Amino acid sequence: MPGIYRDLAPVRDATTVPVMVLEPEGHARGGIVVLHESREFTEPLLELMRSLADDGWTVLAPDLFHRDNGTMPDRVFGTDLIEDFDACFEWLTGRGVFRDCIGVLGFDSAGTAAALVATDRRVGAVVSVAAPGIETPLTPEAVALLAAAPTLKAPWLALFGADDPRTPPEQIERLRDAAARADVATLVVTYPGLRHRPDRPGFEPAPHDDESTLDAQTRIFDWFDSHLR
């Protein structure tokens, strides 16, 4: 059904992943799995997801923190991440989306997760925004992006703010070189002056915020347009 609704995507171990679904009007061009580190959907995130759906994509956002194992993790990596992504992948392919027309979009630590998914699964395209953990893994289950980037299996776009202390410019340069060794298209973009999250304003107001935000969002849409075919 078109519009926005919630559903459950089965996981192989018989559990399910709660997902938020946004479907376009008419036939979907493909699907985009949106990974996010928050336990709720902020209005800016929902607005971006609506824009992706308006552009013709079925958008699927899983609740990565659905497991009740007595802890409250703020990041999900390793087997749990891959299982949840596989559940979303199979949800989309089960509704007629071609495998090479599925993309992944992630923000902050989930941007790191999106890149790591692309080293383990063949998808159509991946975008990571403000992804930390370049030199040092974020968790014992994660891999540093410098080590992961050369093994990417899907075209990867990475967007960073130059003044984000979690992603220093010298680390981003090393990441750009590492990603260039992958067998797929990669593009690492840095926005001068932005401290964090170049995909949307509000983190560090500055005269160039609007221009950088528009450029970042345009790159996200163009990356999926170019590679999900």
Side-chain angles (χ1 to χ4, degrees), residues 84-226:
D84 288 354
F85 172 76
D86 285 347
C88 294
F89 189 88
E90 291 170 9
W91 190 99
L92 287 165
T93 56
R95 284 155 179 80
V97 177
F98 293 112
R99 301 170 68 89
D100 58 355
C101 289
I102 295 176
V104 188
L105 170 61
F107 303 92
D108 290 297
S109 60
T112 308
L116 297 184
V117 165
T119 67
D120 202 83
R121 295 292 187 267
R122 293 193 180 277
V123 295
V126 180
V127 178
S128 297
V129 180
I134 296 177
E135 285 189 339
T136 304
L138 293 178
T139 73
E141 294 79 23
V143 178
L145 287 177
L146 279 176
T151 69
L152 285 162
K153 295 180 171 65
W156 183 53
L157 169 65
L159 306 177
F160 293 97
D163 295 337
D164 186 345
R166 302 185 311 160
T167 57
E170 63 274 12
Q171 292 187 20
I172 295 173
E173 276 304 312
R174 292 178 60 200
L175 179 62
R176 184 177 284 113
D177 292 340
R181 299 199 299 272
D183 292 332
V184 293
T186 62
L187 180 62
V188 177
V189 180
T190 304
Y191 292 92
L194 284 176
R195 184 172 186 272
H196 193 45
R197 291 296 285 270
D199 61 308
R200 57 184 173 91
F203 288 87
E204 184 183 278
H208 48 65
D209 248 7
D210 289 344
E211 180 180 348
S212 295
T213 298
L214 177 60
D215 183 81
Q217 292 181 346
T218 300
R219 286 182 184 274
I220 291 171
F221 281 76
D222 287 351
W223 194 257
F224 289 133
D225 285 341
S226 298

Side-chain angles (χ1 to χ4, degrees), residues 2-76:
I4 180 169
Y5 60 95
R6 295 182 182 273
D7 201 358
L8 295 172
V11 181
R12 288 194 178 90
D13 64 3
T15 63
T16 56
V17 183
V19 294
M20 175 78 77
V21 183
L22 285 81
E23 290 192 338
E25 294 291 338
H27 182 70
R29 303 165 58 192
I32 296 175
V33 178
V34 175
L35 305 179
H36 60 106
E37 79 291 347
S38 174
R39 286 174 168 78
E40 62 183 20
F41 292 90
T42 63
E43 186 54 37
L45 176 59
L46 282 172
E47 184 59 33
L48 181 59
M49 291 165 61
R50 291 187 194 104
S51 296
L52 288 166
D54 289 343
D55 202 36
W57 308 105
T58 295
V59 181
L60 199 66
D63 175 6
L64 298 176
F65 306 101
H66 64 93
R67 292 173 176 82
D68 183 10
N69 55 10
T71 64
M72 293 290 287
D74 58 357
R75 302 169 179 136
V76 177

